[in-house]
Amino acid sequence: MVELAEQEGMEPVEARKVLGIDVTDQVAVKVEKLDVIYRTSYEKVPTFKSALKRMGKGERVVKEVLALHDVSFEITHGTVLGIVGHNGAGKSTLMRAIAGILPPSAGRIEVHGRISTLLALGVGFNPALSGRENVMLGGLAAGLSREEVNERYQVIADFAELGEFIEMPMRTYSSGMFSRLAFSVAVHMEPDVLIIDEALSAGDAKFKKKAAQKMDELMGQARTMLLVSHALGTIKEMCNDAIWLDHGRLMGRGDPGEMVDAYLHHLDVGDDATAMEDL
Amino acid sequence: MSSTTPTLSANAVERARQSAEVRVFEPHKVGLPPMRRYFKDMWARRSFANELSRAEMRAAQTNTFFGRLWLVINPLLLAAVYFLLVGILSGAALTPTKFAHLLVTLFAFYFVSNCITGGATSVVKGSKLVMNQAFPRALLPMSAVRTALRRFAPTLIVTGAIMVLVHVPLGLGTLMAIPSFLITMVFGAGMAMLFGTLQVYFRDTSAFLPYFVRIWLYLSPVIWTAEDMVGKKFDLPIIKVNPLYPMFVTYNDALIMDKISAPWMWAAASGWALAAFIGGGLYFISREREFSVRL
């Protein structure tokens, strides 16, 4: 563990010099001493009724979660960063913090360029509205102009292969259609930084292949990517850099193969096929 | 680095230089994000609030036979219901002027009510967007205010018609209805943000709302006028503490009586509106970081 932590900062700098990039000029994401604390409730559905009941009993259901503590790292444009860690390690929180959805409690995050997100917690869509309307709303919320969304619309719709469904309310969509559209929107927003959280399994085998090709294409254009996946094989294959989180702390940073191995060793599950596929 | 390292193209370096947009996320001071940037972002994304409101109105209309016509039918039906209630059932003499008063204030009340009910559900309804994208969340209740405004607009046709039919006096005083309505709108926006936040913490808020709104209607000078109250048992000072009291009195004075209300009435209306807007806005914005983990 200590060994790995020592590698932090050392290896990446080395690598970027080999690639001949001026590090300070090319920073994509810089995370400094990041703490994320949030308060959340145990209740499934918080209601006024249950709040009154609790007040009578003097109970509290709000708990404070220290999701990330003292996390620092920096990546340059072109990096495909894999994030590994157990469930609840803080991977998704880190992604949401970088996307600006959950701002830091302490520390600082700097993001250079446009961010696009494809997060696991559901796609930014309203089921009562059509696919077209949802694409427009997502784009406008991301800060694009109406014209910019219109320019991309056809490509997004074609890539998602929804046919006439694009004009139908999204409650009529199958889960595959949902994730295809979400993937298509995220990759076609021309992001400088693309954040993908557990969402690479979009659609059927055919679409998966197409999605993988699109990812390759984006990597070829050296877009910066942050990739969270429990499929460790994907991390090893696609990323050129990785970090390992454990209980909200940064355990190591470096080569994806080494990070995955270190993480597996930590879990003591070994490098068996199941873990590589899905853990 | 491993052999899978993708090579960086010249075009990437170029893009990195071009990506001048640098976002810095830092801890919020006293729970509030940097306000200047917040409002700048809000303004830049105002078309999102417009589009959301438009899309939701379209979705609501496609489910009904009359579609957009409902926007006009609805106020007419409302007028008929209250004509029946106040004019016939209560047995009170409903003069044409009083009926005109009833209608114009009723429509204004429904505007506020739509701000509250629409605002209340706006954040929870937009939960997927809130959890997936960073944008000023206040755009969600603002979108609800826009929807309320769009629903209010057709009632102006009915208002205009009744004003002509009843021969209400028209003059400079009538124009004061515009600032009066603007004040009410600011108040409605504050309420939308307040109830939007409450709904996140207490999901049954929207279940209480219809009763709350109904009681508020009866306590406001809508089915009664300020003049009716003089000398009555219920003419208590507390009646005037209702924020909608000065708003509707100035609105009614302007539209129905071509009269400019007393300055204290305007001051009270503006004071309430600002308090609601600033209070509701600060409450909303100070809580919006939590929305993404509470939804």
Side-chain angles (χ1 to χ4, degrees), chain A residues 19-56:
Chain A
L19 291 169
I21 309 282
D22 183 353
V23 174
T24 50
D25 209 28
Q26 305 294 316
V27 174
V29 178
K30 190 169 162 188
V31 176
E32 289 171 305
K33 295 189 178 305
L34 174 69
D35 274 15
V36 175
I37 303 166
Y38 58 80
R39 279 151 32 100
T40 189
S41 164
Y42 294 115
E43 287 174 299
K44 260 198 163 146
V45 182
T47 61
F48 190 60
K49 186 182 137 205
S50 58
L52 282 178
K53 262 190 186 167
R54 278 198 319 274
M55 240 165 69

Side-chain angles (χ1 to χ4, degrees), chain A residues 11 15 19 21 25-26 36-41 45-49 51 62 77-78 96-113 117 119 121-126 129 133 136-138 140-143 146 192 220-223 237 239-240 255, chain B residues 1-9 11-17 19-28 44-45 47-48 50-56 58-59 63 125 128-137 199-205 208 287-290 292-294:
Chain A
E11 233 229 359
L19 291 169
I21 309 282
D25 209 28
Q26 305 294 316
V36 175
I37 303 166
Y38 58 80
R39 279 151 32 100
T40 189
S41 164
V45 182
T47 61
F48 190 60
K49 186 182 137 205
V62 175
H77 275 291
R96 293 162 104 199
I98 293 173
I101 296 164
L102 190 57
S105 305
R108 188 172 187 273
I109 300 171
E110 203 177 289
V111 181
H112 296 246
T117 49
L119 303 183
L121 283 162
V123 192
F125 289 126
N126 180 336
L129 306 181
E133 287 166 329
M136 178 54 86
L137 286 173
L140 292 177
R146 210 175 284 271
D192 300 302
Q221 296 164 352
R223 310 266 178 169
E237 239 170 71
C239 303
N240 64 353
D255 179 84
Chain B
M1 271 276 151
S2 68
S3 56
T4 52
T5 305
T7 46
L8 289 161
S9 62
N11 132 7
V13 177
E14 191 47 42
R15 183 175 28 250
R17 291 228 161 80
S19 53
E21 193 194 343
V22 181
R23 302 291 299 200
V24 175
F25 303 113
E26 281 178 321
H28 292 172
R45 293 174 196 203
S47 54
F48 163 73
N50 287 335
E51 189 61 34
L52 181 63
S53 154
R54 248 198 296 267
E56 281 183 343
R58 261 199 310 270
N63 291 331
K125 252 192 345 201
K128 287 199 168 176
L129 214 49
V130 169
M131 289 195 295
N132 279 281
Q133 249 168 24
F135 61 93
R137 314 305 192 199
Q199 177 76 9
V200 174
Y201 292 96
F202 308 107
R203 297 299 160 85
D204 44 3
T205 304
F208 291 124
R287 293 299 173 132
E288 71 168 52
R289 179 181 181 268
E290 265 189 18
S292 57
V293 289
R294 289 271 190 162

Side-chain angles (χ1 to χ4, degrees), chain B residues 111-194:
Chain B
F111 166 72
V112 176
S113 154
N114 282 334
C115 286
I116 293 174
T117 47
T121 51
S122 64
V123 180
V124 174
K125 252 192 345 201
S127 63
K128 287 199 168 176
L129 214 49
V130 169
M131 289 195 295
N132 279 281
Q133 249 168 24
F135 61 93
R137 314 305 192 199
L139 284 169
L140 295 168
M142 287 308 132
S143 170
V145 174
R146 186 198 178 269
T147 305
L149 207 54
R150 290 307 298 260
R151 290 189 191 286
F152 175 76
T155 67
L156 288 175
I157 305 168
V158 182
T159 303
I162 199 91
M163 283 169 72
V164 171
L165 284 173
V166 173
H167 301 297
V168 298
L170 295 174
L172 270 181
T174 316
L175 288 177
M176 291 307 277
I178 298 169
S180 173
F181 183 75
L182 287 177
I183 290 171
T184 310
M185 196 167 85
V186 171
F187 179 74
M191 289 288 110
M193 291 189 284
L194 173 70

